Amino acid sequence: MKIGVIADDFTGASDIANTLAKGVEPEGGLRTAQFPGIPMTPANEEIEAGVISLKSRTAPVKEAVADSLSALRWLVDQGCQQFIFKYCSTFDSTMEGNIGPVAEALANELGAQKVTFCPAFPTTGRTVYHGHLFVFGKLLNESGVENHPLTPMTDANIRRWLQHQTQEAVGSVSIDAVKQGPEAISDALRNADGRFVIGDAISDEDLLAWGEALKDAKLITGGSGIALGLPRNFLREASSKSVGIAFTGIAGPAAILAGSCSGATRGQIDVHAESNPTFAIDVPGVMSGDVTTQTLLDFFETHPGQAPLAYSSGSPDDVRAIQSQFGQEAVAEKLDNLFAETARELVQTGYKRLVVAGGETSGAVAKVVSEALGSPAMSIGPEIDPGVPVLSVGKTEPIALALKSGNFGAPDFFAKALRMMEVGK
């Protein structure tokens, strides 16, 4: 392998795997695979970029650090030359972590002296300007993520936010240096205060400049955008050769599971409900045991071929009320188990296409699907919407997955995903 990625959730892993596989013209991307958890065996020798999907974004800090270090050591054993710690492009974390503590542990393990932090992803509206993170021109803490049920982001100054999480000094490289190109970025990075450095970027051109400037960096952290220019550093070597994304489509029964409470996902559910059957999961019913896996299976079986969607998404006020009644961790665990067991049963009964919304939900589903099919590696297919590719799991009888971060995707994402899974483009 050339590049090894440690992602703190499953949708984020798909996002950066898509970026590495696609690359930029004319060079293209790397042969990329996504792994649901830390593999127990070596990777195929043809894989040039390996992305390990962890569920560490909201895990206890010690657990997140331990899992990330285990993933790093496996990637080191695969021969990776460069490593990326991938987190959400909205820097999802709390004042206690987990971004800072995990980055510290990885940097210490690798002996990295300067570590860039750049969550920018301009294609999806995420930009960093003078250390402040914006979402479609709105300050992060005014964009809706301040209402996130697990990691409410209440400060757009990510340099200040990261400083809460780490003992390392946090510096910055401003947009003024970035606009001058890779050499200026390298100089600014070298002279920046602190071991950790927030990197500005407001366009794809800025990310490409960062990619060239970071060609020799041992450890990089950020959203998927920071990987945009990295494949071509390796493709210029004779040992790497760009390959196209091979996916011809998978037909068969389909289902949609949505556990995200983001405004984007709720809007996508509303659009889908205009012409397709939907089922609103009663979360108190889940907590009491009245709503079970069989409840969801009965709904899906009643609507074959109609793109049925089951969702637990609710407004921020609804989510807070339910968490207050039952407890945040208890609700999350119950819903994760519900979605995971439903997905397992769907796959075992012949479903071939699953679309999943929400990072926690996607993590739960991807793990059980991979286990059910006995396939540790997921192949990266075509991009549905920016940051969301089709994934193919299994060799003899593969199924198609789409794991969507809550805020990603166009209003008609669900229908578009199912169509692309079937036709392959």
Side-chain angles (χ1 to χ4, degrees), residues 244-306:
I245 296 175
F247 180 80
T248 57
I250 296 174
I256 305 168
L257 299 167
S260 167
C261 296
S262 75
T265 297
R266 297 201 311 274
Q268 290 158 349
I269 291 169
D270 290 341
V271 170
H272 196 75
E274 293 175 2
S275 54
N276 301 277
T278 59
F279 177 78
I281 297 170
D282 176 43
V283 179
V286 175
M287 301 305 293
S288 67
D290 293 334
V291 176
T292 66
T293 297
Q294 192 59 51
T295 308
L296 271 61
L297 294 175
D298 289 343
F299 163 71
F300 288 122
E301 291 169 5
T302 304
H303 301 283
Q306 296 178 282

Side-chain angles (χ1 to χ4, degrees), residues 23-353:
V24 293
E25 296 297 336
E27 293 92 349
L30 300 174
R31 291 182 286 266
T32 305
Q34 180 177 342
F35 302 91
I38 304 167
M40 302 299 293
T41 57
N44 189 305
E45 292 182 358
E46 294 183 352
I47 296 172
E48 295 178 311
V51 182
I52 294 180
S53 318
L54 299 179
K55 193 178 179 183
S56 58
R57 180 171 299 171
T58 57
V61 172
K62 288 185 179 180
E63 179 182 326
V65 167
D67 288 349
S68 299
L69 286 174
S70 295
L72 174 66
R73 289 161 186 159
W74 184 84
L75 291 167
V76 168
D77 289 343
Q78 309 315 303
C80 292
Q81 302 168 36
Q82 189 169 61
F83 303 86
I84 305 171
F85 169 35
K86 197 280 176 191
Y87 40 78
C88 187
S89 58
T90 48
F91 213 70
D92 291 5
S93 55
T94 66
M95 283 190 178
E96 292 74 31
N98 290 344
I99 293 174
V102 170
E104 279 184 10
L106 297 177
N108 290 338
E109 183 88 357
L110 292 169
Q113 297 305 308
K114 289 285 186 178
V115 182
T116 299
F117 291 72
C118 184
F121 192 3
T123 304
T124 59
R126 280 71 164 160
T127 55
V128 181
Y129 184 76
H130 291 293
H132 289 71
L133 183 52
F134 291 81
V135 179
F136 289 110
K138 293 183 178 181
L139 285 166
L140 179 68
N141 58 301
E142 299 174 1
S143 67
V145 297
E146 69 273 19
N147 296 315
H148 193 287
L150 300 178
T151 54
M153 294 302 295
T154 57
D155 191 350
N157 186 329
I158 56 173
R159 181 178 181 183
R160 183 165 56 208
W161 195 257
L162 179 60
Q163 193 65 78
H164 289 302
Q165 303 177 11
T166 179
Q167 296 298 313
E168 299 286 353
V170 182
S172 64
V173 171
S174 77
I175 195 65
D176 303 315
V178 174
K179 291 300 183 184
Q180 295 177 49
E183 290 187 11
I185 293 174
S186 296
D187 289 342
L189 185 59
R190 187 165 44 251
N191 295 319
D193 295 332
R195 186 185 191 188
F196 290 174
V197 182
I198 304 296
D200 281 2
I202 60 175
S203 68
D204 283 352
E205 288 72 23
D206 296 337
L207 293 174
L208 293 175
W210 271 107
E212 187 170 343
L214 294 171
K215 62 184 178 182
D216 296 321
K218 195 72 172 176
L219 174 66
I220 304 165
T221 86
S224 65
I226 197 61
L228 188 63
L230 298 179
R232 66 182 183 183
N233 294 331
F234 293 95
L235 289 166
R236 289 167 180 162
E237 302 175 3
S239 59
S240 294
K241 184 178 180 181
S242 177
V243 293
I245 296 175
F247 180 80
T248 57
I250 296 174
I256 305 168
L257 299 167
S260 167
C261 296
S262 75
T265 297
R266 297 201 311 274
Q268 290 158 349
I269 291 169
D270 290 341
V271 170
H272 196 75
E274 293 175 2
S275 54
N276 301 277
T278 59
F279 177 78
I281 297 170
D282 176 43
V283 179
V286 175
M287 301 305 293
S288 67
D290 293 334
V291 176
T292 66
T293 297
Q294 192 59 51
T295 308
L296 271 61
L297 294 175
D298 289 343
F299 163 71
F300 288 122
E301 291 169 5
T302 304
H303 301 283
Q306 296 178 282
L309 183 158
Y311 65 95
S312 65
S313 309
S315 70
D317 287 342
D318 292 339
V319 172
R320 280 191 289 268
I322 290 172
Q323 289 179 337
S324 177
Q325 181 179 359
F326 297 104
Q328 177 177 301
E329 292 184 3
V331 172
E333 182 179 2
K334 276 280 192 178
L335 288 175
D336 282 355
N337 290 338
L338 175 68
F339 284 121
E341 289 306 311
T342 299
R344 188 196 305 274
E345 291 296 323
L346 290 173
V347 169
Q348 291 178 343
T349 54
Y351 277 71
K352 295 297 184 180
R353 293 173 292 155

